[in-house]
Amino acid sequence: MTPSRERRVWAIVPAAGRGARFESSRPALPVPAPSPVPATLPAHATLPAHATTRTLSQPKQYAALRGATVIEWSLRALLAEPRIHAVVVALAPDDSHWVSVASRLKSAKLHATLGGATRQDTVLEGLKFLAAHADPHDWVLVHDAARPCLSAADLGRLLDALQTQESGAVLAAPLVDTIKRETSAGVATVDREGLWRALTPQVFVLDELRAALREAAGAGVTVTDEAQAIERRGGRPALVAGSAFNVKVTRPEDLISAENILKTMEETPMRVGQGFDVHGFGEGDHVVLAGVRIAHVRGVVAHSDGDVVIHALCDAILGALGEGDIGQHFPDTDARYRGADSRTFLKVVAEKIAAAGVKLMNADVTVVAEAPRIGAHRAAMARNLAEDLGVSVQQINIKATTTERLGFIGRGDGLAAFASVLLGV
């Protein structure tokens, strides 16, 4: 988590709550014994060593939901959004469920710290953690741990709004029902014109949010969301229209609604990506294709190992995920990637597939070269790609063609590869 001078977006997910309303309204159910929190966690999910390991009853953020937990669904859009630099989850000190969740998500963007007694305190602890890594003027996005139906489109619109907003922005849904207020004098109808239901994420400048929350706490004011704290200081965050399906799990019956919404979201069309890479020949006695070293009269000119198959495949996957291209993630200006094994790139991209909550359905790669011939190596190439992507070799297809001696490839000056992928749920 090393920030640059570029204004970055960070995320905090307060997850230290006990979910008292959820616990009090649901029937007693057997809860599987969770894995205890060790004194230290992997770098992507570290907790202070004084965190204890008392087994909690199962808070709502860890309730089962469509093969995962509520918090895993809540995190997926954040982890898959390339503009979010890192996600910090603020936990109860005796949380014994988080370790298994973090191990399943396997995202380098994911970090953990301890929260506080209230939501305000928990977000402040998250901001304290970020202060050591972020610029005070960076953006900080806060999202509920129990709001699992955030769509990539809504998150994208919220972040787009930061181009023109200085006080931050809040996802919100306009009220469409008739609103009633019960008073001592009876029931009255409230004019719903201009009324919105605040959702999350909400995003603000780091230093401004920290000051706003501290001032509210100092005044003895309990804010119900971060925007309220900003508003107390005169800020006017923009309202960004979000989906009314971005529900918060508060009671057990909300899980049924969330499950139906997620099922509908999953029934969206498949995601397709295509990639291309080319390298010229230079000095050397081999080329590397799909991680297989193949003898050849020349090598390739490249910053890394010049594996056009993997480079094209990474580009195709990143395209399907909406995460840019391989040059953004592994730039050839970075000395760390000089001579690098491109299979390390593919493994990182595979983690992004998992973080996005989708799967690789199949990949089709075409190598374009007069030489070397790849027929004898095709099976080994497919095995490498399948292993790194965590799929069956039947989901990987590799073929080759020539340009009939036309162009620079036909003259034997280089080789290229095209890749297409299909991602689904």
Side-chain angles (χ1 to χ4, degrees):
M1 292 172 60
T2 305
S4 69
R5 295 183 182 180
E6 174 188 353
R7 196 174 191 184
R8 289 179 167 173
V9 181
W10 309 75
I12 294 174
V13 177
R18 309 298 188 189
R21 283 177 292 176
F22 184 83
E23 285 292 336
S24 64
S25 60
R26 72 171 179 169
L29 294 174
V31 177
S35 302
V37 176
T40 57
L41 290 175
H44 69 277
T46 54
L47 277 178
H50 61 274
T52 65
T53 59
R54 180 175 62 83
T55 300
L56 295 172
S57 60
Q58 190 181 58
K60 61 185 179 182
Q61 61 266 32
Y62 295 116
L65 179 61
R66 286 191 68 76
T69 59
V70 169
I71 193 171
E72 286 174 79
W73 286 106
S74 301
L75 288 167
R76 283 181 178 178
L78 306 182
L79 295 175
E81 168 56 61
R83 285 176 287 181
I84 295 179
H85 183 61
V87 179
V88 178
V89 181
L91 304 164
D94 47 4
D95 188 308
S96 54
H97 301 273
W98 173 249
V99 178
S100 58
V101 169
S103 66
R104 287 194 297 272
L105 290 173
K106 296 179 181 178
S107 174
K109 289 171 64 169
L110 193 59
H111 300 260
T113 191
L114 295 181
T118 66
R119 180 191 173 93
Q120 285 173 242
D121 295 335
T122 295
V123 174
L124 278 169
E125 289 299 323
L127 291 168
K128 180 180 177 181
F129 178 89
L130 283 182
H133 309 283
D135 186 276
H137 302 292
D138 281 349
W139 294 108
V140 175
L141 173 153
V142 182
H143 183 52
D144 293 331
R147 203 176 284 271
C149 301
L150 173 64
S151 70
D154 275 5
L155 179 57
R157 280 194 297 273
L158 180 70
L159 296 180
D160 289 344
L162 300 182
Q163 301 300 317
T164 57
Q165 301 298 325
E166 284 301 319
S167 289
V170 177
L171 269 186
L175 292 179
V176 295
D177 295 317
T178 298
I179 306 301
K180 303 289 186 180
R181 174 182 287 120
E182 185 179 26
T183 69
S184 59
V187 175
T189 299
V190 177
D191 182 4
R192 69 183 180 217
E193 183 68 27
L195 295 182
W196 294 67
R197 179 164 61 90
L199 311 172
T200 69
Q202 304 184 358
V203 59
F204 309 100
V205 175
L206 189 154
D207 249 13
E208 293 179 6
L209 179 57
R210 180 167 51 185
L213 290 172
R214 284 175 173 171
E215 286 182 15
V221 175
T222 300
V223 295
T224 55
D225 70 355
E226 289 66 45
Q228 185 181 355
I230 293 292
E231 292 157 11
R232 290 187 71 256
R233 303 183 82 225
R236 292 294 177 264
L239 294 179
V240 177
S243 170
F245 292 141
N246 183 6
V247 296
K248 184 177 181 180
V249 173
T250 304
R251 297 176 176 83
E253 54 266 32
D254 297 331
L255 287 172
I256 299 173
S257 298
E259 181 161 358
N260 290 332
I261 292 167
L262 289 172
K263 182 179 179 182
T264 301
M265 292 171 67
E266 289 177 356
E267 290 171 353
T268 55
M270 299 292 186
R271 307 182 71 173
V272 175
Q274 60 86 28
F276 171 75
D277 193 49
V278 60
H279 283 293
F281 287 131
E283 294 183 0
D285 60 3
H286 72 278
V287 297
V288 178
L289 296 175
V292 176
R293 181 185 173 108
I294 302 173
H296 188 51
V297 293
R298 305 183 73 186
V300 296
V301 178
H303 184 68
S304 62
D305 60 7
D307 191 327
V308 293
V309 169
I310 288 182
H311 295 179
L313 184 54
C314 285
D315 255 1
I317 294 170
L318 291 169
L321 293 172
E323 290 218 27
D325 58 47
I326 191 171
Q328 292 175 241
H329 296 270
F330 313 105
D332 60 11
T333 55
D334 192 327
R336 289 178 300 170
Y337 305 128
R338 185 177 302 280
D341 181 348
S342 293
R343 293 184 69 181
T344 62
F345 304 163
L346 188 58
K347 291 172 184 175
V348 172
V349 171
E351 292 179 356
K352 294 182 180 296
I353 296 174
V358 294
K359 300 175 183 177
L360 179 71
M361 309 305 288
N362 76 293
D364 184 39
V365 180
T366 302
V367 178
V368 186
E370 295 294 329
R373 302 292 184 178
I374 69 165
H377 309 283
R378 196 169 351 204
M381 293 165 63
R383 282 196 300 271
N384 285 348
L385 300 182
E387 178 183 338
D388 294 343
L389 291 167
V391 299
S392 164
V393 290
Q394 282 73 38
Q395 293 168 266
I396 306 293
N397 186 63
I398 299 175
K399 54 190 186 293
T401 190
T402 71
T403 60
E404 301 294 337
R405 302 192 179 279
L406 299 175
F408 81 95
I409 290 179
R411 293 193 301 269
D413 292 336
L415 77 172
F418 293 88
S420 298
V421 300
L422 179 65
L423 304 183
V425 292

